[in-house]
Each structure stands twice: as structure tokens, then as C-alpha cells.
Amino acid sequence: MNTELSNSLKGQAWGLFIDGQSVPAEDESTITIFSPANREPIATIARATANDISKAVETAQAGYKEWAKLTAYQRESIIKKAAAYVRTQADRIGMLMALEQGKPFNQAKAEIIGSCDTIEYFASEAVRVEGYVNQTEKAGVFSIVKYYPVGVCALITPWNYPVSLLSWKLGPALAVGCSVVVKPTTVTPLSPMAFCMALVEGGIPARVISVLTGQGSVVGDVLVKHPLVKKVAMTGSTATGKKLMQTVAPYLKKISLELGGQCPAIVCADADIINAATVIAYKGFRNMGQSCSSINRVYVHVSKHQSLVAELKKNAEKLTIGDGVTDGAADLGPMATADGITTTKQHIEDAIGKGASLVTGGRAPEGGQYEKGFYFMPTILDNCHAGMKVMQEETFGCVVAVETFETLEEAVNKANDTNYGLVAYAFTKDFKTSMHLGDTLEAGTVCVNSGAVNTNYAPYAGWKDSGYGVELSRNAVFEYLETKHIKVEAI
Ligand code: NAD
């Protein structure tokens, strides 16, 4: 099934998605998308011009006017029907993701299904946007607080979880009555485009969702400056996030940013080592470590050092690596980009040059099937320290670095000693220690004994250089709303 499906999806020319139509760029220019598994061309996308961007935003503004007029109950019902339709397309959209991003088909398909769950979660939130009525200073005076959709939102997304991270923005935006212009990356434009098209096929009004493709620094920049765009939601690197914030500052637009991570894990003396190693290997290597919540660095109590490293090695070496398109059940596919391989290698070389020892991996797997793609083996580095890049910078590759500690205070200080603050992990059987770490680790999420970081019901927020604002949970809904106080003196 996989080969037949993937072959049927290759070689297409994808347009911009505006007003329910797939249209070429005004100047008909295109960009070719390549497979990370073999570097062969997969498809072409349109490179949006400034006029195309204006057209998409004006269409979205018209869409917003219609969509915001519906009741929350009407929007909930339309969105849920559309999400149900998208579920029927999960094989096709998942395969597009496997082709362009490299992640194994089964994981890509699961991402589409999970994204439908998120869209539905937020559709349910639509009817829970409640204002409130205040007590007032005088009889006959009424004070009512209400929330209104902000308007057209620019949704700018990265390539590592190209549909999931879109759904985190699309879900709340659509639910509260905003329209959107989506700008995926040129690495993975196809699956988010297909996801948005399917939502419209499933019943979301065409003018409510547009998708623009082209270089982020050009299309994204023009898009966020457009006067009709009232809100920008972006997931990506810290450098791009800071740039975007500067770009929109003169216009005082609402903005939320989910940015980079450099996530630590503390393994305490009383930790269940089998569980800790399983979770660390999962969070360190899943999606080839290309996740903002990947575990980059591990601080293990000296008493558990040897046993943890041995278990981690076992876990890393049993992971299967394959072409995610033809080998959909593989644990790992290729990395998405050549840059990813370069950074991974640089971090490994830097660490080894400064005294780290290579426990496993450190190179591409051997064999003809791996020669053309961006493949790399899951890598564990031991005896690391804070002077190494792998302990300070986001590798965004399949490397886990290990350092020891003697006291918990030392571990917390080490874990907090970066500019990032997205997710921190801890492993302990003691509830008091769990809560102490929960309170003292500087991160938007602290996850103890588990790698299940993201849930629709809880907020995901980056501290320090890891973000601005909140995604997921009912808190995220307010990122897409304006607040209004209506005061009436009845005379
Ligand atoms: P990136 O910063 O290169 O690009 C992100 C998006 O911004 C892309 O769509 C890109 O085209 C666009 N863009 C680039 N320059 C722009 C500009 N000047 N104006 C407007 N848009 C512009 O990030 P990436 O390489 O696609 O993704 C990887 C990064 O994303 C990593 O740092 C990772 O940690 C981060 N990330 C964070 C989270 C989170 O929730 N915190 C989740 C996943 C990924």
C-alpha cells in the first residue's frame, strides 16, 4: 500500500490555497521539494508574491467577517464535521509528511490523527469562551466583560511536526471565530497544505483558511506586516522568533511564539533506571531528536551513572532506522535536512574534542539504502560538561549527552544554566522531590517519570528564550481573543 500511495503523490505541482482554490503564484515561480531519504524531487510548490499575499489576506478578512458572525455552537459543529472528514484522509496526508519530512509513515499518520484530536478539543472550547458580569459602584450600572476574535491570524509553522504544530494554532483560531493565513516551511509545505485543504473540503468556509508557500524570510515577513493581519502565531527557532517580534513591534500586533528548547533530564539516585532510560531514549531520539521537547542533556546521580548509560545504550541500539515511506513501521527515518546532520556532527565533534566519550552512534548507519539520505545513528555521549555545545545549544539532532551530579541542588543549577526554558524532565520515586523539582526547574513544563509532555488540556509555554505566550489548553484560546469591557448606565 505504501509504495502505491507514495507514488501516486509524487510529481505534483502544488499551488497556493486561496478561497478554496489551488492557484499558481502570480509570476508562476515555483520551488522544488526534495525527499530527505534519497534527495530526489517530490513535488513543486508555488512561491507567493506580494500580490498573492495581499489576495490571501484580503480573502481571509472577508472570511473572518462571515465566520465571526456564526455562533460558537455553529462553529463547533462545522469544525467537528470537518475534522471527522480530515481523519478519513490521514493516510494520504501522513504519506505526504513521510515523503517530505522523513518521519516513518506510522508516526506521520498518528500526527494527523492527533492533530484532528486537537482541532476537535478546541472546537469544544469555542462554546466555553465565557465573559463575566461585575458588581458595580451604583445601581443601574452594568459592567460586562466579553471576548471577541482578533481577526485574521498569520500562522507560521516549522518542519519537525508540520501538522501537529499547525493544529495547535489553527484549533483555537478557528474555534473563536478568527480566519487564518497559514505559512508552512519550504521543507514540509505539502502535509500542512493538504491538511488545510481537507478541512475546507470537510466544510470550513473556503475564505476562512488560506495557505501561502515560499521562503519564510520573504513571504512570512510580508505576511506578518500586512495591516489586516492582527495576530501572529509562530513556532520555530529562537532567532526567527526574536526577529518576528521586532518585525511586528511597530504595529503592536498580538504575537505568540513557541521557540527552541535545550531540555534537561535529572535522574535522581532513587529513580527507576529502566523507566528513565526508556523515556530518555524515546524523547532523545524520537523524530531523530528534531523536537523542541527533545532531551538533549542528562544529569544523573553518580550512584546510577553506569547503570543508566548501559540501559540508554541498549535502548539506542535497538531502534530501527529506515526510509519512512517504504518502511512505515521503522522507529527512525532520515533527518529532515542536511543542516540537521551538520549541526549534529559539529556538536558530537565539539564534545569529543573537549573530553566526552562516545557510547554509541556518532556516524551514519552503514548500507546502500542509507547512502543518499540524511541518515544518522542515535548517539550517546558520556562524561559531558557545561563547556560543550551539546550542553548549551539546541542540537535538534539524535544526540543525548550525559553528565553526573552529587547533590540535587547542583543538578538543578546545571539544568537551569541555559537561556532555554521549554521542558525539563526528572526521574525520582519520591513525591516531595518531584514537587521540589517541579517548583525549581525553570521551564514551562516539568515532566516527572514520563515523556508524555503535550496534552491538549494543559498549557505549553516556553520560559526564557523558549517562547512568548501559550499554546494548547483553554489558555491558548485567549491568545486569539481581544478583551472588551462594556459599561452601561441605564437611564
Ligand atoms: P525556523 O525558525 O527556521 O522557521 C520557522 C518558521 O518561520 C518557518 O515557517 C519559516 O519559513 C518562518 N520564517 C523564517 N524567517 C521568517 C521571517 N523573517 N519572517 C516570518 N517567518 C519566517 O525554524 P524551523 O527550522 O522550521 O524549526 C525548528 C525550530 O523550531 C527549532 O528551534 C525548534 O526547537 C523549534 N520548535 C519549537 C517548538 C515549540 O513548541 N516550542 C516546537 C517545534 C519546533
Side-chain angles (χ1 to χ4, degrees), residues 141-292:
V141 171
F142 299 88
S143 165
I144 300 153
V145 177
K146 290 185 73 179
Y147 297 98
Y148 296 83
V150 64
V152 177
C153 303
L155 309 185
I156 299 181
T157 53
W159 47 259
N160 56 337
Y161 287 93
V163 174
S164 176
L165 296 169
L166 170 62
S167 73
W168 293 10
K169 300 162 182 58
L170 205 44
L174 293 180
V176 302
C178 295
S179 63
V180 303
V181 179
V182 176
K183 213 265 341 125
T185 71
T186 48
V187 179
T188 57
L190 309 181
S191 51
M193 171 76 83
F195 188 81
C196 290
M197 290 169 93
L199 280 169
V200 170
E201 282 161 30
I204 305 281
R207 290 191 284 185
V208 172
I209 306 180
S210 298
V211 187
L212 294 172
T213 46
Q215 288 302 334
S217 51
V218 181
V219 177
D221 187 66
V222 176
L223 172 63
V224 301
K225 286 180 185 154
H226 195 292
L228 288 174
V229 169
K230 302 296 181 198
K231 150 88 191 175
V232 176
M234 177 267 198
T235 297
S237 61
T238 298
T240 306
K242 287 184 176 175
K243 199 169 181 185
L244 256 181
M245 199 150 188
Q246 284 172 348
T247 308
V248 303
Y251 311 93
L252 292 179
K253 296 188 189 210
K254 270 173 102 80
I255 184 164
S256 49
L257 303 166
E258 288 295 345
L259 306 176
Q262 220 286 5
C263 306
I266 295 179
V267 183
C268 298
D270 70 342
D272 175 336
I273 291 301
I274 303 287
N275 176 57
T278 307
V279 172
I280 292 168
Y282 180 81
K283 289 305 298 184
F285 304 131
R286 181 93 169 163
N287 204 28
M288 292 299 283
Q290 302 165 124
S291 165
C292 53

Side-chain angles (χ1 to χ4, degrees), residues 107-129:
Q107 293 171 36
K109 182 175 173 182
E111 183 173 334
I112 308 306
I113 302 289
S115 301
C116 292
D117 295 345
T118 301
I119 297 283
E120 285 170 1
Y121 169 86
F122 280 110
S124 299
E125 283 300 309
V127 298
R128 298 184 195 131
V129 176

Side-chain angles (χ1 to χ4, degrees), residues 12 37 97 148 162 170 191 212 217 270 366 422 428 464 473 489:
Q12 294 174 9
M97 192 188 297
Y148 296 83
L170 205 44
S191 51
L212 294 172
S217 51
D270 70 342
E366 281 163 9
L422 193 60
T428 172
K464 301 194 263 187
S473 82
E489 186 153 354

